[in-house]
Amino acid sequence: MKNSPSELPVQVQFDQIDADQAGQRIDNYLITRLKGAPKTLVYRILRKGEVRVNKGRVKPDYRLQAGDVLRIPPVRLPAPNEPALVGQGILNALEAGILYEDKGLIVVNKPAGLAVHGGSGLNFGVIEAMRQLRPDCPQMELVHRLDRDTSGCLMIAKKRSVLRHLHAALRGDGVTKCYEALVRGRWPASTKRVHAPLQKNNLRSGERMVEVDPEGKECLTEFRVLERFGDQATLVEARPITGRTHQIRVHAKHAGHPIAGDPKYGDDDFSREVRELGGKRLFLHARSLRVVMADGQELKVEAQPGLVWDSTLGRLRNA
């Protein structure tokens, strides 16, 4: 019998995997199951054989199957009365930003500046905050990611079955995502597609950069002009046909029209001009998504970009 994930495992526990949990890697299952336990601890108990599946040792990449019996050793987790990881202000903002919720899925309007998950010096992100908001959803996982400084529609699955369906939809044509971006200069109406392969490169500092490279992965973004602000800037809609890291940001730069407020791929002078108008953010927003759910119904969700975005565009119109 499976114990509640919120209980401290002070003795050996046994979980029986059901069909909805099947298919995920055991390391990912344990990271979710043992909330608050460091990942190093999870991998250590796997490596030492303290975690067993059907009485046998398994590697971290083992994929769980329905009916598997999982042995979990005693692990020290944060006690229920220990300080919460995420502050109430951020929790309130995310709760207010929920655009859609049912038994298997949450779509939230992610604020700019908030990472989707903790790590790399960050104690928490959206997924940790949402788990704190919904402690009765132990299987909650990110369906996809947004860059830390990008705002907008972010899908979070509450069930493994929903996660598997949406991952398959993302690999096919079952999900349509539309972004808006404020870019430098006058984007020509004739430029409707940017088709340029992208390659990831890691710098010595550890920072990840993405570049257009003939040896990179196939990459296509469709663009449409929404509004012009003279020759200074253009508001465009961007629809990524592929889903590469930093795709829209790099494709906008490649087209000669970098996005305002982009510290990696932007134009410093243009970003400063927009910042002086009050635009202290990356001007890339996941405006809407359309997804076909497992029951065949189509879900459409739209997110507003917020006050900073709207007021900055208002000042550009009056400039």
Side-chain angles (χ1 to χ4, degrees):
M1 179 178 177
K2 181 175 176 178
N3 294 285
S4 167
S6 62
E7 296 175 2
L8 289 174
V10 293
Q11 57 187 8
V12 173
Q13 297 179 348
F14 293 90
D15 288 3
Q16 184 161 5
I17 303 304
D18 59 31
D20 198 51
Q21 298 165 324
Q24 62 182 308
R25 286 172 48 133
I26 190 170
D27 54 352
N28 292 331
Y29 175 88
L30 290 170
I31 288 166
T32 301
R33 175 73 169 81
L34 304 175
K35 290 180 181 176
K39 289 184 180 180
T40 52
L41 173 61
V42 169
Y43 286 104
R44 184 165 70 246
I45 60 177
L46 278 167
R47 186 176 65 251
K48 293 173 67 176
E50 295 179 46
V51 175
R52 301 276 177 134
V53 176
N54 305 326
K55 300 183 179 180
R57 288 181 176 235
V58 292
K59 294 183 178 181
D61 61 357
Y62 173 78
R63 293 195 178 273
L64 295 167
Q65 301 177 39
D68 280 350
V69 176
L70 178 62
R71 176 195 185 275
I72 302 176
V75 175
R76 168 69 174 94
L77 296 179
N81 59 352
E82 290 183 8
L85 181 66
V86 185
Q88 195 60 44
I90 290 175
L91 294 178
N92 291 344
L94 286 172
E95 186 75 59
I98 292 176
L99 305 166
Y100 173 83
E101 183 171 8
D102 63 20
K103 293 181 180 179
L105 176 67
I106 292 178
V107 184
V108 64
N109 186 358
K110 185 189 87 65
L114 181 61
V116 294
H117 60 76
S120 300
L122 301 172
N123 292 327
F124 67 87
V126 173
I127 188 60
E128 289 82 9
M130 294 306 298
R131 287 170 180 160
Q132 194 169 313
L133 279 172
R134 299 289 186 272
D136 57 333
C137 299
Q139 297 181 33
M140 186 176 285
E141 296 288 351
L142 291 164
V143 175
H144 60 115
R145 301 185 181 191
L146 291 177
D147 295 340
R148 180 178 181 179
D149 294 325
T150 302
S151 58
C153 296
L154 179 69
M155 292 187 287
I156 301 163
K158 293 180 175 180
K159 296 181 178 180
R160 287 288 305 175
S161 55
V162 174
L163 183 68
R164 287 196 295 269
H165 168 76
L166 292 174
H167 277 172
L170 284 165
R171 288 193 295 271
D173 56 1
V175 180
T176 300
K177 293 187 281 187
C178 287
Y179 292 71
E180 289 185 9
L182 182 68
V183 302
R184 185 191 69 188
R186 188 177 182 87
W187 187 287
S190 58
T191 303
K192 297 180 179 180
R193 294 158 64 94
V194 176
H195 196 181
L198 298 182
Q199 181 77 41
K200 293 180 186 176
N201 293 305
N202 289 321
L203 305 180
R204 291 181 181 176
S205 62
E207 183 182 19
R208 175 178 288 177
M209 297 290 288
V210 178
E211 298 176 344
V212 172
D213 189 319
E215 301 300 317
K217 293 183 178 180
E218 180 82 3
C219 201
L220 172 63
T221 309
E222 294 181 346
F223 289 92
R224 181 169 67 93
V225 172
L226 297 176
E227 185 176 357
R228 300 189 191 281
F229 305 94
D231 292 331
Q232 183 181 12
T234 308
L235 182 67
V236 297
E237 177 188 270
R239 191 163 75 92
I241 306 304
T242 50
R244 311 299 181 200
T245 300
H246 300 170
Q247 174 174 326
I248 297 172
R249 297 163 65 183
V250 179
H251 273 181
K253 176 187 177 182
H254 182 66
H257 303 276
I259 297 174
D262 192 337
K264 283 191 174 186
Y265 309 106
D267 175 89
D268 290 343
D269 291 338
F270 174 58
S271 293
R272 185 173 60 254
E273 292 172 9
V274 174
R275 193 164 54 246
E276 288 172 353
L277 295 173
K280 298 179 180 180
R281 59 159 294 171
L282 171 68
F283 276 79
L284 180 61
H285 176 70
R287 185 68 184 235
S288 66
L289 64 83
R290 188 171 72 248
V291 55
V292 179
M293 303 303 290
D295 61 4
Q297 296 296 309
E298 187 176 73
L299 172 66
K300 296 180 181 179
V301 183
E302 184 167 327
Q304 299 301 316
L307 182 61
V308 171
W309 182 289
D310 291 342
S311 61
T312 303
L313 264 58
R315 293 188 179 100
L316 275 169
R317 293 184 187 106
N318 297 324

